[in-house]
């Protein structure tokens, strides 16, 4: 039976939402943490307070299941049918899952319903359909040998998720890893736990063996580190901050040299050249800068504008910002909800104050809506006169602050775009086809979109350059392949 978003919100108000460890044939200590919504900081339920012992139990059951082969040894067609059933169940329950993400993360319900969940469902269907279409190779040999190059599941996968797109990031990591035949252990962010719990329940209903998919909740310093250091986990895929990404490299080096896939921070540029179609560009610029309260790794938080159109574009942005309504994200007319937690709210607020001190000019927004719910609500804010030396130009804010700078030549625009430690995404606007290809090749970013904001789609790999991460990609066949390992089988005929 479907659960409506109204029913989810009602259970949240009653403090009845729960998310606990899901580990086959194991009972945890029963320790739990409060779960509060950033909407009004009220108690919506509890989550399990996991620890290294829970991780150990999850790894033991994951490895046993992998070795016994009840999942990896299914034919690709059989795994495909289970994955398709799971995708169908997620689609059927998408309103419930969207409401869980809304209440858990403070994400606008319209985005959860119309963007996050359709993308989540698409991801599961796509990898279900892809898994029986991956082929090995035959090496060129003489008559006396046969050389096979095959891809095998890597083993036990640790998936450590961020809090900004809970359901979608679960799908990006779990769908390809599980489809490839691995056993997967998921650690959601402790701030956003609810949709993962429900999706794992649906996985079991679809026929995924319980030992092939485990869920461990808890704090990063207890559960995340235990996953990173465990000697019987073969790969960890992590999305989150660059600082925590460094820790996973350390954990790997100090344990079994497990593979580490990192998708970390960003400080993505948006470049607007003088020949850009400004009216067409403005909605994309706004979405890139402020979508999901700017709690987005690929957020286009630096707007680099040709000096000849600077004033004109700024006027259009100031007008457009009025359409981005701040309020309770359960309201379908709201575009901007709260920051995820008080500590993050204080961080974003401090960037506003520091930017003003460093000489940036606030031209729109910036109001703190302390009268709304938790009080962690910040209007979309535009700062002009931002120079490369300023913190707002260099550092990831993960909040709705857009830094505007100007340039006078193509070379200066490219230099400014690349003047950061990050390289996740970029976008630019121009009608000149020769400039388009030149700039796209010279920007140091994993995804470059032209005349619009985009992260590509499920078919294209997503990941960054420099300190935005490395070691693998999400999405595309590349994500499928990173959860496999290459083996050569060489047969000699006598």
């Amino acid at each position: 039976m479907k659960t409506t978003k109204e029913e989810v919100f009602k259970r949240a108000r009653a403090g009845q939402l729960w998310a606990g460890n899901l580990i086959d044939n194991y009972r945890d200590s029963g320790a739990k943490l409060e779960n509060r919504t950033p909407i009004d900081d009220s108690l919506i339920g509890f989550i399990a307070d996991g620890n290294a012992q829970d991780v150990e139990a999850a790894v033991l059951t994951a490895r046993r299941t992998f070795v016994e082969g009840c999942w990896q040894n299914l034919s690709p067609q059989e795994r495909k049918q289970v994955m398709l059933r799971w995708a169908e169940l997620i689609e059927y329950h998408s309103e419930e899952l969207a409401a869980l993400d809304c209440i858990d993360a403070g994400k606008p319900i319209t985005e959860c319903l119309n963007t996050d969940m359709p993308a989540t469902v698409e991801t599961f269907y796509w990898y279900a359909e892809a898994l029986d279409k991956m082929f090995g190779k035959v090496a060129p040999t003489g008559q006396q040998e046969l050389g096979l190059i095959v891809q095998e599941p890597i083993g036990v996968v640790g998936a450590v998720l961020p809090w900004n797109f809970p359901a979608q990031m679960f799908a990006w990591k779990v769908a390809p890893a599980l489809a490839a035949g691995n056993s997967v252990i998921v650690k959601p962010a402790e701030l956003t736990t609810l949709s993962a719990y429900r999706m794992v329940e649906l996985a079991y209903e679809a026929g995924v063996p319980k030992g092939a998919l485990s869920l461990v909740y808890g704090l990063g310093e207890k559960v995340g580190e235990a996953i990173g250091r465990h000697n019987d986990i073969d790969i960890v895929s992590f999305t989150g901050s660059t600082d925590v990404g460094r820790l996973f490299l350390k954990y790997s080096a100090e344990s079994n040299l497990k593979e580490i896939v990192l998708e970390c921070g960003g400080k993505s540029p948006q470049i607007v050249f003088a020949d850009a179609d400004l009216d067409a560009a403005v909605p994309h610029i706004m979405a890139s800068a402020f979508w999901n309260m700017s709690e987005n790794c690929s957020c286009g938080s630096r707007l680099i504008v040709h000096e000849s159109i600077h004033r004109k574009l700024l006027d259009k942005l100031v007008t457009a910002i009025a359409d981005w309504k701040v309020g309770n994200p359960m309201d379908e007319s709201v575009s901007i909800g709260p920051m995820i937690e008080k500590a993050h709210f204080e961080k974003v607020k401090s960037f506003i104050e520091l930017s003003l001190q460093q000489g940036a000019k606030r031209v729109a927004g910036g109001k703190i809506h302390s009268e709304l719910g938790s009080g962690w609500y910040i209007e979309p804010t535009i700062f002009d006169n931002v120079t490369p030396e300023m913190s707002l130009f260099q550092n990831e804010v993960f909040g709705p602050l857009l830094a505007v700078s100007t340039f006078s030549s193509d070379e200066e625009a490219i230099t400014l775009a690349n003047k950061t430690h990050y390289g996740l995404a970029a976008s630019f606007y121009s009608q000149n086809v020769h400039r388009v290809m030149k700039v796209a090749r010279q920007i140091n970013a994993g995804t470059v979109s032209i005349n619009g904001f985009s992260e590509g789609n499920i078919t294209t790999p997503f990941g960054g350059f420099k300190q935005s991460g490395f070691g693998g990609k999400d999405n595309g066949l590349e994500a499928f392949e990173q959860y496999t390992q290459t083996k050569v089988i060489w047969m000699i005929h006598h």
Side-chain angles (χ1 to χ4, degrees):
M1 182 180 295
K2 287 184 180 181
T3 300
T4 66
K5 62 181 185 296
E6 288 78 17
E7 289 171 315
V8 172
F9 296 153
K10 182 178 178 181
R11 288 171 56 203
R13 285 190 292 270
Q16 296 175 345
L17 298 176
W18 163 254
N21 297 327
L22 292 172
I23 305 168
D24 192 31
N25 293 318
Y26 174 75
R27 182 177 297 235
D28 62 27
S29 68
K32 57 188 180 181
L33 298 167
E34 288 187 345
N35 188 9
R36 293 183 172 273
T37 174
I39 295 173
D40 59 10
D41 200 29
S42 63
L43 183 70
I44 58 174
F46 295 88
I47 68 169
D49 183 11
N51 54 38
Q53 182 178 337
D54 301 326
V55 173
E56 180 66 27
V59 175
L60 286 173
T61 191
R63 180 60 65 184
R64 182 179 66 251
T65 300
F66 185 74
V67 171
E68 291 174 354
C70 64
W71 178 246
Q72 71 148 324
N73 290 343
L74 291 179
S75 70
Q77 291 75 21
E78 290 173 311
R79 282 205 312 277
K80 173 181 176 178
Q81 290 308 311
V82 174
M83 295 293 293
L84 285 174
R85 283 197 295 272
W86 190 15
E88 290 166 359
L89 286 169
I90 291 171
E91 186 172 25
Y92 181 79
H93 293 282
S94 60
E95 181 178 336
E96 175 188 359
L97 292 165
L100 290 172
D101 275 1
C102 170
I103 199 79
D104 216 9
K107 295 169 63 72
I109 185 62
T110 49
E111 287 186 8
C112 295
L113 286 169
N114 300 326
T115 302
D116 292 22
M117 287 315 304
T120 298
V121 170
E122 179 189 32
T123 300
F124 279 99
Y125 276 121
W126 198 83
Y127 283 107
E129 291 289 355
L131 73 85
D132 63 352
K133 300 172 181 67
M134 300 291 288
F135 295 88
K137 301 174 184 177
V138 178
T141 65
Q143 293 294 317
Q144 302 303 310
E145 296 91 20
L146 174 65
L148 304 178
I149 304 167
V150 298
Q151 298 296 123
E152 298 181 346
I154 196 168
V156 176
V157 176
V160 182
L161 310 182
W163 47 256
N164 54 340
F165 293 90
Q168 195 172 346
M169 294 301 99
F170 178 98
W172 278 19
K173 298 189 186 302
V174 176
L178 199 65
N182 297 287
S183 294
V184 184
I185 300 165
V186 184
K187 184 225 172 289
E190 58 267 25
L191 295 172
T192 51
T193 57
L194 299 174
S195 59
Y197 184 78
R198 188 71 181 107
M199 284 191 287
V200 173
E201 287 185 325
L202 295 174
Y204 298 158
E205 185 179 335
V208 175
K210 290 186 176 180
L213 181 59
S214 303
L215 197 57
V216 186
Y217 284 110
L219 302 175
E221 55 265 32
K222 292 196 295 184
V223 176
E225 181 172 353
I227 289 172
R229 291 189 179 278
H230 203 288
N231 285 308
D232 207 21
I233 292 177
D234 300 293
I235 183 172
V236 169
S237 181
F238 168 78
T239 294
S241 72
T242 301
D243 287 343
V244 176
R246 294 178 193 275
L247 291 178
F248 276 100
L249 295 176
K250 176 183 176 183
Y251 300 154
S252 173
E254 294 177 353
S255 57
N256 62 332
L257 285 179
K258 61 178 65 63
E259 294 186 35
I260 301 292
V261 176
L262 298 179
E263 196 270 273
C264 299
K267 193 67 182 175
S268 301
Q270 302 189 71
I271 309 173
V272 185
F273 291 94
D275 65 333
D277 181 339
L278 297 187
D279 289 331
V282 165
H284 286 273
I285 293 169
M286 296 294 291
S288 178
F290 300 124
W291 172 49
N292 200 54
M293 292 76 72
S294 308
E295 293 171 341
N296 178 22
C297 297
S298 61
C299 168
S301 57
R302 293 184 297 136
L303 184 62
I304 301 168
V305 186
H306 192 274
E307 58 189 12
S308 67
I309 58 167
H310 168 239
R311 187 73 258 164
K312 183 178 180 181
L313 177 58
L314 211 55
D315 289 343
K316 290 180 179 292
L317 295 176
V318 170
T319 299
I321 209 169
D323 294 331
W324 287 69
K325 180 180 176 181
V326 179
N328 188 320
M330 293 186 287
D331 179 344
E332 294 188 2
S333 68
V334 162
S335 302
I336 299 287
M339 297 289 94
I340 186 68
E341 62 174 340
K342 185 174 183 180
H344 185 58
F345 164 76
E346 294 292 346
K347 172 194 168 185
V348 177
K349 181 181 173 183
S350 72
F351 267 99
I352 295 176
E353 297 163 352
L354 180 60
S355 299
L356 292 170
Q357 291 171 11
Q358 292 181 338
K361 179 184 178 183
R362 184 172 59 194
V363 295
K367 181 180 177 181
I368 308 297
H369 285 272
S370 56
E371 79 283 1
L372 294 176
S374 61
W376 307 336
Y377 294 76
I378 300 176
E379 279 185 344
T381 307
I382 299 174
F383 281 97
D384 195 14
N385 300 340
V386 177
T387 62
E389 298 75 29
M390 293 182 184
S391 297
L392 193 60
F393 189 96
Q394 292 293 336
N395 298 317
E396 185 177 45
V397 179
F398 234 56
L401 311 183
L402 177 62
V404 180
S405 309
T406 59
F407 69 90
S408 59
S409 68
D410 288 12
E411 291 72 25
E412 184 183 10
I414 294 167
T415 298
L416 288 171
N418 291 334
K419 202 175 184 64
T420 171
H421 297 302
Y422 298 109
L424 185 57
S427 56
F428 67 91
Y429 299 83
S430 174
Q431 304 301 309
N432 183 323
V433 67
H434 303 292
R435 173 187 288 133
V436 161
M437 294 312 301
K438 173 185 174 183
V439 174
R441 294 299 297 268
Q442 293 189 17
I443 291 179
N444 295 324
T447 299
V448 178
S449 61
I450 302 167
N451 292 326
F453 166 59
S454 177
E455 296 175 348
N457 66 14
I458 186 61
T459 70
T460 56
F462 181 79
F465 294 178
K466 299 188 284 188
Q467 293 183 27
S468 288
F470 58 91
K473 303 286 186 179
D474 290 315
N475 291 347
L477 294 179
E478 288 80 359
F480 192 95
E481 292 167 355
Q482 74 193 11
Y483 299 113
T484 66
Q485 52 193 351
T486 303
K487 177 181 286 184
V488 173
I489 300 174
W490 194 267
M491 183 182 299
I492 301 173
H493 302 284
H494 296 287

